Amino acid sequence: MDEVDLLALIAGAVTDARSGSADGEGLLASLSALHALRATLTKWEPELITAARAAGVSWTALAPALGVTSRQAAERRYLRLQPSTTGEATGEERIDAQRDRRAGERAVSEWARGNAASLRQLAAHVTAAEGMSAAGRRAAAGVAKALAEDDASALLAPLGETRRHLAADHAELAARVGELGEETVRVRDEAISDRRRRTHG
């Protein structure tokens, strides 16, 4: 039975219930249909929101369509409905995890901007390193591309990709890239801890 048939069955049962002519078996069937239709609609909503966002619709524009009054509430509803990919059991946990991720990302971006000169210097040394494998040269090319970006945080991921390619012939550079990775983890973890303290006391 497809969604149109489910809706017709439910509507018919509601009409019968209002007229007093419904029977128990029909009402049970319609309640089962209602449960199935609700599950389908719940699955469809985040899919449609994702598609709307991909089409450029803002959270502010989505809010009234979702029956909420603010962009924050619209995004919160989406996060509650969206299936978890990171193991959170409830919608609230997913929202909390998403806020943790954002706090960590903001802190790392700010740290990178504050240390832009050092990051760019390290990136220049990596792109100039000789003797790397073909895969290493491709990784270094990613660093060179990121060097053209205004935001120094764009260097972090490409630099991290070069570490294993540097290890054999450029141990010092590999160590510096490793230290960079450790520092960004520390900055991210501290930001998440601070956010949780502020939020949860």
Side-chain angles (χ1 to χ4, degrees):
M1 187 177 292
D2 63 21
E3 290 77 21
V4 174
D5 292 334
L6 290 173
L7 186 58
L9 175 62
I10 295 163
V14 169
T15 299
D16 291 345
R18 288 173 178 171
S19 68
S21 61
D23 62 82
E25 185 176 339
L27 290 170
L28 284 174
S30 67
L31 286 168
S32 294
L34 183 62
H35 177 75
L37 186 58
R38 185 183 293 117
T40 298
L41 294 174
T42 298
K43 181 180 70 175
W44 282 352
E45 187 172 350
E47 290 180 9
L48 290 173
I49 295 171
T50 299
R53 291 289 293 151
V57 180
S58 70
W59 287 114
T60 300
L62 276 166
L66 299 178
V68 296
T69 58
S70 68
R71 64 171 304 283
Q72 292 87 354
E75 189 171 6
R76 190 178 180 88
R77 178 174 178 81
Y78 174 65
L79 290 171
R80 280 202 193 97
L81 294 170
Q82 185 76 337
S84 174
T85 58
T86 51
E88 295 83 19
T90 67
E92 288 301 323
E93 288 177 358
R94 288 197 290 275
I95 291 167
D96 213 37
Q98 178 74 357
R99 289 177 176 171
D100 279 349
R101 285 190 288 273
R102 287 179 179 172
E105 289 166 2
R106 282 195 301 270
V108 169
S109 293
E110 289 170 8
W111 178 87
R113 286 191 286 271
N115 292 274
S118 297
L119 283 172
R120 292 187 183 283
Q121 183 182 54
L122 176 58
H125 286 309
V126 168
T127 57
E130 297 180 352
M132 284 197 287
S133 65
R137 289 195 299 274
R138 286 193 295 273
V143 174
K145 182 178 179 181
L147 266 172
E149 299 286 336
D150 291 333
D151 189 350
S153 66
L155 288 166
L156 297 175
L159 279 170
E161 286 293 317
T162 65
R163 184 182 181 186
R164 61 193 174 93
H165 302 294
L166 292 166
D169 299 314
H170 304 277
E172 183 181 348
L173 268 180
R176 289 175 62 189
V177 172
E179 290 168 2
L180 169 64
E182 291 169 3
E183 181 65 10
T184 56
V185 168
R186 182 193 65 77
V187 169
R188 181 179 291 109
D189 287 349
E190 285 187 357
I192 290 171
S193 294
D194 287 345
R195 191 202 77 80
R196 289 177 179 174
R197 280 195 296 271
R198 291 194 306 270
T199 304
H200 304 297

